[in-house]
Amino acid sequence: MKIRTILTLGTLAIALALVSWWMGEQSYTWFPPQASAESQLIDRLFSFLVAIGTFIFLGVVGTIVYVVLFQQASKYDTSDGPHIEGNVTLEIVWTAIPFILVVGIAAYSYHIYDRISILGPMEHVHESMAHDMAPEAPAIAPVAAESSDSNAIANPEVMIAVKSRQWAWEFYYPDRQVTTAELHLPADQRISLQLTSEDVIHGFYIPAFRVKQDIIPGRAITLKFTPIREGRYRLRDSQYSGTYFAAMQADVVVESSDSYQQWLTDAANQQLTAAYNQAFDEFQRSPGGRTGWQTVQPAPPPLVNYPGKGTS
């Protein structure tokens, strides 16, 4: 290959790499704000994949465009192109490049997944446990300390039980015997959620946190993450769980440690009241009005100390 050709291809490869890197950086703006430490890692992986995909896409499309525009056969030329079968060098190159890409993507993805480490041990729970999340019979199980690091001792995991059912979320803070319909979290502390479902598969999904976990009936699934940005976010059911699954949402409030403790104290002093539940409310306002189709009757609104501000 001529040196001029090598330099031209090298220049094009560098230009493609720069454009791909820029596209990868742009991908950070396609998502909600990064509200958890895990979201930063997930976005970094996504940016890497976008950059790789852009480089491949532009390389393939650019080659096709170049061939169409500048490598056309003459009008009456019906001969075949160069016969490249048996070209060992070419076969090695187009085998090695995809292999290196796949191995590199797999290794980087595993590295990110290993650093996130959001899943704790799963436990089988008896059906009665999933139904009983009252203070006297908490559904949350003790979570053993996983680290002897002094920082971990100074900032122990905040353990919260999350119960899902058609179609409501309910959160229980075992340390203060508080039940709420709004998930409050302290910033910069490791959160350990124990997810259970009373009926069908639900999906715990907070887009700003980039964490998503299916909740399977009969299992207590531990999900861990670290919120880092104060604000109000939205929890959604990512799995189709029935007629009103789109209404199965709740606010997630990330606040400073002091504000979180004050909120816990205030909530603990409040009496239990029925939380607003959109599915239950709509169903009750049209009793017997479901002509032509059937649906599951929504579960009664949970009794909570703090019903939340964004649910009414």
Side-chain angles (χ1 to χ4, degrees), residues 205-228:
Y205 178 42
I206 305 175
F209 291 178
R210 315 289 193 273
V211 294
K212 175 181 174 297
Q213 176 60 49
D214 291 347
I215 309 174
I216 303 170
R219 290 187 181 182
I221 301 173
T222 303
L223 180 69
K224 301 182 180 184
F225 55 88
T226 305
I228 58 173

Side-chain angles (χ1 to χ4, degrees), residues 22 50 62 103 140 160 232 272 274:
W22 177 81
V50 168
V103 172
I140 191 169
I160 305 170
R232 183 175 289 270
L272 292 175

Side-chain angles (χ1 to χ4, degrees), residues 1-12:
M1 185 177 294
K2 296 179 181 179
I3 295 185
R4 182 179 178 182
T5 303
I6 294 176
L7 291 176
T8 301
L9 292 176
T11 303
L12 288 173

Side-chain angles (χ1 to χ4, degrees), residues 6 10 21 98 138 144 174 197 216 228 230 270 294:
I6 294 176
W21 174 81
S197 172
I216 303 170
I228 58 173
E230 295 182 20
Q270 296 185 28
Q294 298 293 326

Side-chain angles (χ1 to χ4, degrees), residues 242-263:
T243 306
Y244 294 99
F245 94 100
M248 190 172 168
Q249 301 186 24
D251 277 352
V252 180
V253 178
V254 179
E255 52 199 346
S256 66
S257 180
D258 291 341
S259 298
Y260 170 74
Q261 293 298 332
Q262 184 60 49
W263 171 81

Side-chain angles (χ1 to χ4, degrees), residues 55-77:
F55 187 87
I56 295 174
F57 175 79
L58 293 180
V60 172
V61 172
T63 301
I64 293 174
V65 171
Y66 171 78
V67 169
V68 170
L69 295 179
F70 303 107
Q71 298 295 320
Q72 298 175 358
S74 58
K75 186 174 182 180
Y76 299 105
D77 183 4

